[in-house]
């Protein structure tokens, strides 16, 4: 079943066209990655889906419901989570407060506690740091907190924008392991990465974006073997 369908979207920043007709789909249960170099349009694609940027033309469907240009707070409520590039946690709030912000629409205390325990199960370090201010934690811990906060809404689709950015290789491994684990637990993943090799290694399928256009797509394993991809992104 297709959970996310993107049809020919074009997004502009003022007069600058960032997306030139992007079409993609993500099926329930998949890990799909969108790879491409700096400025290719990866973040804009995610922002256009989650409602942080408006698309000028084209349409987006989530679970067969049209969500084109629906604001971000609405897409969150129907099961989509977007972890932005650079993590964007609340630096002056504690780990616990950050997680509570993630569950803003949940009123039942027992549900919130249950979800927080689920997050601590995935990221035990966050439990140890529960009263520490987000901004004082390491980059890896902040990334875990950003993912944890998104999970507080129990999303069906988790969109991650460059979760490996700026992290030490061993932490990157941990983050990718968690992504795989979340997927095995039933969460569909749309992963944006510059770290093409690792992203393609865990993805069922991948899309390559260049200058606001999809130039190639296929199975993750096939894209890793592709000569053009090797030359451009895996060198
Ligand atoms: P990066 O990994 O560097 O963020 P990206 O593939 O995510 O790259 P985008 O951030 O989506 O790329 O940017 C796509 C294009 O849109 C680029 O040319 C970029 O300069 C431009 N752009 C992005 N954000 C803005 C903005 N707020 N205002 C104007 N132009 C923007």
């Amino acid at each position: 079943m297709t959970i996310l369908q993107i049809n020919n979207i074009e997004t502009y920043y003022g007069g600058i066209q960032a997306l030139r007709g992007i079409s993609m789909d993500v099926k329930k249960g998949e890990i799909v990655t969108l790879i491409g170099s700096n400025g290719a349009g990866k973040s804009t694609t995610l922002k256009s889906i989650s409602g942080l940027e408006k698309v000028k033309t084209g349409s987006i469907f989530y679970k067969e419901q049209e969500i084109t240009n629906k604001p971000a707070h609405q897409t969150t409520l129907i099961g989509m989570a977007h972890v932005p590039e650079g993590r964007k946690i609340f630096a002056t709030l504690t780990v616990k407060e950050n997680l509570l912000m993630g569950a803003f629409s949940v009123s039942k205390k027992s549900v919130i506690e249950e979800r927080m325990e689920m997050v601590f199960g995935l990221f035990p370090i966050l439990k140890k740091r529960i009263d520490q201010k987000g901004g004082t934690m390491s980059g890896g811990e902040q990334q875990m907190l950003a993912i944890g906060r998104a999970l507080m809404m129990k999303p069906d689709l988790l969109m991650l924008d460059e979760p490996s950015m700026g992290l030490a290789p061993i932490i990157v491994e941990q983050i990718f392991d968690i992504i795989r684990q979340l997927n095995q637990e039933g969460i569909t993943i749309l992963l944006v990465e510059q770290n093409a090799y690792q992203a393609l290694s865990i993805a069922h399928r991948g899309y390559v974006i260049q200058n606001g256009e999809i130039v190639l797509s296929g199975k993750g394993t096939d894209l890793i073997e592709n000569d053009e991809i090797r030359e451009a992104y895996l060198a």
Side-chain angles (χ1 to χ4, degrees):
M1 172 209 161
T2 300
I3 190 166
L4 181 70
Q5 176 82 46
I6 301 161
N7 304 313
N8 210 19
I9 58 170
E10 299 188 6
T11 302
Y12 288 73
Y13 294 104
I16 301 166
Q17 185 169 15
L19 302 185
R20 301 168 183 277
I22 298 283
S23 296
M24 296 173 59
D25 65 82
V26 179
K27 296 190 176 59
K28 193 169 160 44
E30 279 189 314
I31 300 179
V32 170
T33 188
L34 176 63
I35 61 170
S37 47
N38 251 326
K42 304 181 297 299
S43 299
T44 305
T45 302
L46 288 197
K47 288 179 188 165
S48 301
I49 299 167
S50 65
L52 294 172
E53 291 294 343
K54 280 210 172 344
V55 307
K56 192 165 183 188
T57 59
S59 60
I60 305 169
F61 289 81
Y62 178 66
K63 293 182 186 166
E64 290 170 359
Q65 182 184 345
E66 178 152 18
I67 58 156
T68 319
N69 290 334
K70 285 240 188 306
H73 65 267
Q74 278 185 31
T75 57
T76 305
L77 290 176
I78 57 173
M80 284 172 58
H82 179 183
V83 180
E85 185 175 353
R87 327 195 225 283
K88 307 272 180 355
I89 55 148
F90 300 103
T92 59
L93 299 186
T94 65
V95 165
K96 186 176 182 181
E97 289 164 342
N98 266 279
L99 293 177
L100 289 175
M101 297 290 276
F104 69 92
S105 69
V106 184
S107 50
K108 226 174 160 191
K109 210 169 159 231
S110 60
V111 173
I112 293 176
E113 278 167 6
E114 197 179 289
R115 290 190 189 169
M116 215 177 275
E117 280 312 314
M118 178 269 292
V119 170
F120 291 149
L122 276 171
F123 302 113
I125 190 76
L126 294 183
K127 191 164 189 172
K128 284 196 197 150
R129 303 260 190 272
I130 188 161
D131 292 318
Q132 192 170 324
K133 290 213 165 45
T136 66
M137 302 203 301
S138 72
E141 289 163 359
Q142 290 190 25
Q143 184 62 61
M144 291 173 195
L145 180 55
I147 296 174
R149 189 178 60 190
L151 294 175
M152 291 296 288
M153 285 298 278
K154 225 165 181 284
D156 297 314
L157 173 68
L158 182 61
M159 301 193 287
L160 300 164
D161 195 345
E162 300 215 23
S164 76
M165 193 172 63
L167 303 181
I170 186 161
I171 310 295
V172 174
E173 289 290 336
Q174 278 180 29
I175 298 285
F176 277 90
D177 281 348
I178 292 286
I179 294 170
R180 215 188 313 230
Q181 190 183 335
L182 289 171
N183 177 249
Q184 277 160 5
E185 288 171 12
I187 302 180
T188 306
I189 310 273
L190 177 54
L191 171 66
V192 156
E193 266 296 341
Q194 272 195 56
N195 193 337
Y197 183 78
Q198 259 162 319
L200 290 172
S201 306
I202 67 163
H204 299 99
R205 288 187 302 123
Y207 289 87
V208 182
I209 183 170
Q210 210 175 302
N211 271 322
E213 282 176 294
I214 301 293
V215 292
L216 208 59
S217 65
K219 277 182 161 177
T221 43
D222 291 345
L223 291 178
I224 286 182
E225 300 296 326
N226 181 293
D227 286 341
E228 281 172 67
I229 302 278
R230 280 173 171 267
E231 211 166 295
Y233 304 104
L234 306 176

